Amino acid sequence: MAELITVQGDITTLRVDAIVNAANTSLLGGGGVDGAIHRAAGPELVAECRKLDGCATGDAKATPGFHLPASWVFHTVGPVWQGGGHDEDDLLEGCYRRCLELAKLHHVRSIAFPAISTGVYHFPPRRAARIAIDTVREHVDASGVEVVRFACLGTDTLAIYEELLQQPPRAPIA
Ligand code: ADP
């Protein structure tokens, strides 16, 4: 089983093979973690993103990391929280699953995820963290990834991840 660990702080500083960007469907930059990643990667990143023709919610696309310490950025688009009745859980699960598929494709051994959709997209943080951890646990070994870091900007998010990571995986539904 891969190692799943938390880290507090700015995801753009992490020395991992890939960092995940919580982008929007245009992939042309935004605020929050997206803005931080574009600032740290340099203008080459948006130029590369322009070639990708956007990204659907729940999907992910890869670019190089340019000036980031990370070799890759996996841009994924989380769902906007609309109360839970609009497939938000499945779409968020898709983000984590698709990023691990990209990790396999690009032989990534270490990856860092932000708390996708929990900023301006307003997904409830605990529910989002549960989905993040469950989905990563389910798919990480098939991906070849050895270390997953959950990058938490705030201490509230960090506390949620630390608590949930201590709990045993949920039994699969028979
Ligand atoms: P979304 O639109 O998917 O909600 P946001 O960027 O608004 O994306 O927020 C997603 C999460 O990323 C939030 O928990 C936010 O606190 C966090 N975040 C913002 N900037 C950074 C950063 N530089 N490193 C790590 N996490 C960040």
Side-chain angles (χ1 to χ4, degrees), residues 9-11 22 31-34 36 114-121 151 153:
D10 181 1
I11 198 168
V33 70
D34 196 5
I116 301 164
S117 282
T118 66
V120 297
Y121 284 2
L153 194 63

Side-chain angles (χ1 to χ4, degrees), residues 55-118:
C55 183
T57 304
D59 197 3
K61 294 189 177 179
T63 66
F66 297 102
H67 300 285
L68 288 164
S71 305
W72 295 96
V73 180
F74 298 158
H75 307 262
T76 190
V77 183
V80 177
W81 181 255
Q82 297 179 75
H86 291 79
D87 223 15
E88 293 96 323
D89 289 349
D90 287 348
L91 289 165
L92 187 61
E93 183 180 330
C95 293
Y96 289 91
R97 198 180 54 241
R98 284 286 302 129
C99 287
L100 290 175
E101 286 172 9
L102 289 177
K104 182 172 187 183
L105 189 68
H106 295 296
H107 310 289
V108 158
R109 297 276 179 254
S110 56
I111 187 169
F113 287 96
I116 301 164
S117 282
T118 66

Side-chain angles (χ1 to χ4, degrees), residues 18-37:
I19 64 170
V20 172
N21 182 14
N24 56 52
T25 53
S26 78
L27 295 187
L28 298 181
V33 70
D34 196 5
I37 288 172

